[in-house]
Amino acid sequence: MKRLWWLQIIVLIFVLSACSNSEENEEASNDSAEETQTEESTESTDDETEDNESTEEESATDEPTEEDSTTEEQADDTEGESEESTDTASEDPKADLYFDLNSAEVQEKLFSTTEGNEDGTFQQDLITNGMTQTEVEEKYGPYEFTFPTGGGSPAIYGNLGVMYSERAPYGTGEDDSSNPSINPDENYVEYVWYYARVTGGELTQILGEPDIYEEEESMNGLPFYVYQGQGEDGRYYSTGASTYNSPDGEMVGLVKREIFDELPGEDNAMIEADEEEAISVIEETYPPLLADYYNNETENVMRYLTGDALEKIQANRETGDFSDHQSISMEITNVEQLSDTEYQITANRTYSHATSNGEQTEEVTYTLTQDGNTFVITDFE
């Protein structure tokens, strides 16, 4: 009996022990499951954090920073400055030298008696007497072109025709009447006229038909226009416009006004204009060109010589006695009209050359005949 009792006790102990192990295994299993869930939750949280950080970084990359904004503004400013610089560089330096013939201000200076310069030059304060060619062209750029007239070869800048003291601008002399021997630092502005820069048709469209029209009075046999009228002060004006062959074709060029106390008739106006042109050739054009010829610099004086005068001048140069020539002054003492197309002008000419023993003054009488809108010297004595 005792063995059976102990056997029952031992079986009971084994059963109780087995139940205890099962509970511990369940608790261990539950703990393990909880730990697994905790780890997965932690990993999920870490992944979400990384995703959020990545999203924030992308968002931060997309949004402009203060530095980016400043850089963009600087770039905009730089582009603006570049555009302004380009605009400045492309500006015409002669822009201020254009004066519209259709404007009331310009017409008042050319077709009245109370405005503008009394001597017929064009009133403005941009290119003024005494400036050198160097100063003019440093400010407004090189002249556009030049052409020969009775008084020399004016240089054209915009709507201004500038006559320099050397009666031509410094230039190559290859394609125009400029002179490469001129020193531009000593070539001074003496006259500034208005250069119309329009065709004959445009001129009459703006101003109407001229009071006097001469079909072949300008250089090269081109038209000459004259407008006349009375000013508010009771005086009269006569404004002439010549026509020239310019790089743009046949254009109305220099416009010059004269003022009279009495109404000039057609004949009187033309006679007075012719006389002034003849005087201008002797007083202004001929002396410097003659010196250039004797000094073997240019032969432009040939344009104003013909007949006996041409032969005498050529013979003089061949002797070599007239080298180192300087034309110092030409003082007109008498003007006589011989016919409708011929004048005789007497002047005291002061000069020096290689064999003159210093300055010499001689009285010379020149005979001139009309050639187009200028005059040529046919003889002198």
Side-chain angles (χ1 to χ4, degrees):
M1 289 293 290
K2 286 184 179 180
R3 281 184 186 177
L4 182 60
W5 185 78
W6 280 107
L7 180 61
Q8 290 175 347
I9 291 173
I10 291 170
V11 170
L12 179 61
I13 289 172
F14 274 109
V15 170
L16 291 174
S17 176
C19 289
S20 175
N21 289 337
S22 175
E23 288 176 358
E24 288 176 357
N25 287 337
E26 287 178 1
E27 289 177 0
S29 176
N30 289 338
D31 291 341
S32 176
E34 288 176 1
E35 288 175 1
T36 299
Q37 290 177 355
T38 301
E39 289 174 359
E40 290 177 354
S41 176
T42 301
E43 290 176 358
S44 176
T45 302
D46 292 340
D47 290 341
E48 290 177 2
T49 301
E50 290 177 0
D51 290 341
N52 289 337
E53 290 177 354
S54 176
T55 301
E56 289 176 0
E57 290 175 359
E58 291 176 359
S59 175
T61 302
D62 292 339
E63 292 179 5
T65 64
E66 290 182 359
E67 293 180 356
D68 290 339
S69 177
T70 302
T71 302
E72 290 177 1
E73 290 176 0
Q74 291 175 345
D76 290 340
D77 292 341
T78 302
E79 290 177 0
E81 291 175 359
S82 177
E83 291 175 358
E84 291 177 2
S85 176
T86 302
D87 291 340
T88 301
S90 63
E91 287 181 359
D92 182 0
K94 297 181 181 65
D96 292 337
L97 304 182
Y98 291 97
F99 302 88
D100 188 2
L101 181 60
N102 207 30
S103 71
E105 180 181 2
V106 170
Q107 292 186 18
E108 280 292 311
K109 294 177 180 179
L110 298 174
F111 306 98
S112 75
T113 57
T114 56
E115 300 294 333
N117 295 333
E118 291 279 333
D119 64 358
T121 57
F122 187 66
Q123 186 182 58
Q124 43 78 46
D125 57 3
L126 302 175
I127 298 180
T128 57
N129 290 2
M131 292 178 68
T132 66
Q133 183 178 348
T134 299
E135 291 172 334
V136 170
E137 298 189 352
E138 282 179 350
K139 193 169 185 179
Y140 300 111
Y143 72 89
E144 299 168 60
F145 61 93
T146 183
F147 50 80
T149 68
S153 298
I156 303 303
Y157 305 85
N159 282 112
L160 301 180
V162 178
M163 183 65 78
Y164 287 106
S165 56
E166 294 291 339
R167 295 298 174 265
Y170 165 77
T172 63
E174 296 176 357
D175 301 320
D176 57 22
S177 50
S178 61
N179 188 336
S181 68
I182 291 173
N183 182 351
D185 293 334
E186 297 178 357
N187 202 16
Y188 299 96
V189 175
E190 286 195 351
Y191 304 98
V192 181
W193 291 297
Y194 183 77
Y195 178 72
R197 216 181 188 99
V198 297
T199 64
E202 291 170 335
L203 180 77
T204 56
Q205 188 174 20
I206 294 171
L207 302 175
E209 294 298 323
D211 297 290
I212 302 172
Y213 175 75
E214 297 290 339
E215 190 171 359
E216 298 181 355
E217 281 297 319
S218 288
M219 183 70 73
N220 300 324
L222 299 176
F224 186 77
Y225 304 82
V226 178
Y227 291 86
Q228 296 178 333
Q230 185 174 17
E232 295 178 355
D233 58 2
R235 295 186 297 170
Y236 300 87
Y237 67 84
S238 180
T239 302
S242 302
T243 309
Y244 302 92
N245 285 315
S246 77
D248 297 323
E250 187 178 306
M251 306 289 284
V252 177
L254 302 183
V255 181
K256 302 179 183 180
R257 180 193 64 179
E258 294 182 82
I259 296 177
F260 304 91
D261 292 330
E262 297 180 358
L263 178 65
E266 177 176 343
D267 292 339
N268 290 336
M270 296 306 298
I271 289 172
E272 185 163 343
D274 288 345
E275 182 175 309
E276 288 188 359
E277 183 65 28
I279 292 173
S280 176
V281 169
I282 295 300
E283 192 173 41
E284 300 174 1
T285 307
Y286 176 67
L289 294 182
L290 180 63
D292 289 344
Y293 180 73
Y294 281 147
N295 295 330
N296 295 310
E297 294 178 358
T298 72
E299 296 195 355
N300 293 339
V301 74
M302 296 293 102
R303 169 70 182 85
Y304 300 95
L305 293 171
T306 189
D308 292 341
L310 176 60
E311 294 178 3
K312 291 177 181 178
I313 294 300
Q314 288 176 327
N316 285 345
R317 188 171 77 166
E318 289 177 1
T319 66
D321 294 338
F322 294 82
S323 61
D324 296 328
H325 200 96
Q326 285 188 318
S327 292
I328 299 171
S329 66
M330 184 78 80
E331 181 186 359
I332 305 297
T333 59
N334 186 61
V335 179
E336 182 180 354
Q337 184 176 9
L338 303 179
S339 69
D340 290 343
T341 60
E342 194 172 24
Y343 283 84
Q344 199 168 69
I345 298 177
T346 302
N348 290 325
R349 179 170 180 261
T350 302
Y351 61 90
S352 68
H353 53 69
T355 60
S356 66
N357 295 320
E359 293 185 8
Q360 298 290 329
T361 300
E362 289 185 355
E363 183 180 78
V364 184
T365 298
Y366 300 91
T367 302
L368 301 91
T369 188
Q370 193 167 27
D371 180 17
N373 79 323
T374 190
F375 283 81
V376 296
I377 303 169
T378 60
D379 198 5
F380 62 86
E381 56 185 19

